[in-house]
Amino acid sequence: MSVELWVAIIAGALALAAPLVLAGIGEGFVERAGRINLGIEGMMIMGALTGVWAGSLAGPLAGLVAGLLVGLVLAVVMNLLVYRLHANEIVIGLGITMLGLGLSTYLYQLWVPSGQTNVAVATVPRVDLGPLSELPVVGPILFGQSPLVYLAVVLLVVAWAVMRFTRFGLAVRAVGTDPASAALRGVRVERTGASALLIGGALAGLGGAVITVGTIGSFTPDITAGRGYIVLAVVIMGRSRPIGIALGALLFAFLQSFALLSQSTSLQLPSELYQSLPYLVTLVVLVITSRSQMRRLFKTVRPA
């Protein structure tokens, strides 16, 4: 395998990691607040479809905004069902995922009936960084990316700063650690949890739009291919911390990029192995990470 191929694999990994990082940042807020959003997959695929639809009408920026808004709307629905109607959060999250998968396919078939050519939209243009992008090896990897990759990096830093230095971040951590104690200290537990889910839903929808408007330029049913569940795994592996989320997303994206590009090499391996490799390795790392976290928990609660 040549140096050029490895450069392409690593550059592709950064692009593939962007939607996972965006959705992961949002889910990090949700889980730090003591909640869980199993509707990420549904929010991402609805954001992907809405992004293409809005992008076909008003350009890629409108597509990204539309994807973010549809994720936000689904998060509002989830908050209403959980906090006002006292529905089970796990069931509602799974319901939103099933709704998103089914509704996106139905709306897409209404928009592009069977037999018609798929709608292609303009994607977000790459930023020309001049001589930097022409540097050997480093240039294509770091300076030849879509602006959405740099947006994901910026939001990682913002999420870390918000969680560490702001009153909202302190409230989120307090609610996730001990909601009863947080309530005694004047923190509005429900409002904090609901706000965290709104952030998670908006970024999940944005992540879905990044897949279509940011990279591919079109929509097909099941285009997210389980990335919502990968986001959940990445957040667990990263312990809901921005840096951990980024590393987990990069691991999955690197393996996915490797699987896509290595099929053109002389490695005579079944294509099914390439396709399953990112998911298998992510599962193994998730199990190892979960076991180590459980050991630390048991050591903490073990009586003296």
Side-chain angles (χ1 to χ4, degrees):
M1 298 177 69
S2 64
V3 174
E4 289 79 8
L5 180 59
W6 282 112
V7 169
I9 289 173
I10 297 173
L14 292 178
L16 291 170
L20 301 178
V21 170
L22 291 170
I25 292 170
E27 180 60 15
F29 276 97
V30 174
E31 296 198 11
R32 292 294 292 273
R35 301 187 62 182
I36 187 168
N37 178 16
L38 295 184
I40 297 177
E41 180 78 3
M43 294 174 179
M44 288 186 75
I45 198 165
M46 286 302 296
L49 174 63
T50 307
V52 170
W53 175 76
S56 67
L57 298 176
L61 181 58
L64 295 173
V65 174
L68 184 149
L69 290 177
V70 76
L72 185 64
V73 168
L74 289 173
V76 169
V77 171
M78 188 172 178
N79 273 330
L80 290 174
L81 292 173
V82 171
Y83 284 127
R84 293 293 176 263
L85 301 182
H86 306 288
N88 184 280
E89 188 172 48
I90 304 296
V91 174
I92 296 302
L94 292 173
I96 286 178
T97 287
M98 291 187 287
L99 173 67
L101 292 171
L103 184 60
S104 62
T105 300
Y106 174 70
L107 293 176
Y108 173 74
Q109 290 174 348
L110 288 180
W111 184 33
V112 184
S114 179
Q116 288 193 9
T117 304
N118 196 2
V119 176
V121 300
T123 58
V124 177
R126 295 181 181 274
V127 177
D128 184 10
L129 296 178
L132 290 176
S133 60
E134 298 174 2
L135 293 172
V137 181
V138 178
I141 293 175
L142 297 181
F143 305 112
Q145 297 289 343
S146 164
L148 299 175
V149 174
Y150 306 126
L151 173 64
V153 175
V154 170
L155 288 182
L156 274 173
V157 177
V158 170
W160 172 80
V162 167
M163 194 63 70
R164 190 173 180 86
F165 299 114
T166 68
R167 180 175 297 179
F168 175 72
L170 179 61
V172 167
R173 288 184 285 145
V175 168
T177 302
D178 190 343
S181 297
L184 289 174
R185 288 171 170 79
V187 177
R188 304 187 66 170
V189 175
E190 286 193 4
R191 175 176 290 185
T192 302
S195 299
L197 185 63
L198 292 179
I199 295 172
L203 289 178
L206 177 61
V210 167
I211 295 173
T212 50
V213 181
T215 307
I216 299 174
S218 63
F219 178 87
T220 55
D222 198 31
I223 194 171
T224 49
R227 284 182 176 86
Y229 298 109
I230 293 297
V231 169
L232 287 169
V234 162
V235 173
I236 293 172
M237 286 190 295
R239 300 176 63 189
S240 303
R241 269 64 173 182
I243 298 301
I245 291 168
L247 293 176
L250 285 171
L251 171 64
F252 178 83
F254 174 80
L255 293 169
Q256 191 175 33
S257 180
F258 177 83
L260 290 171
L261 295 176
S262 294
Q263 296 183 50
S264 61
T265 67
S266 58
L267 295 176
Q268 300 299 319
L269 297 176
S271 60
E272 293 81 5
L273 178 60
Y274 285 113
Q275 294 170 4
S276 62
L277 180 63
Y279 300 92
L280 289 174
V281 174
T282 301
L283 178 61
V284 170
V285 175
L286 177 61
V287 170
I288 295 172
T289 305
S290 299
R291 283 174 61 87
S292 65
Q293 290 178 5
M294 290 302 295
R295 288 196 191 99
R296 285 194 294 268
L297 177 63
F298 288 144
K299 288 180 181 179
T300 302
V301 301
R302 184 178 298 171

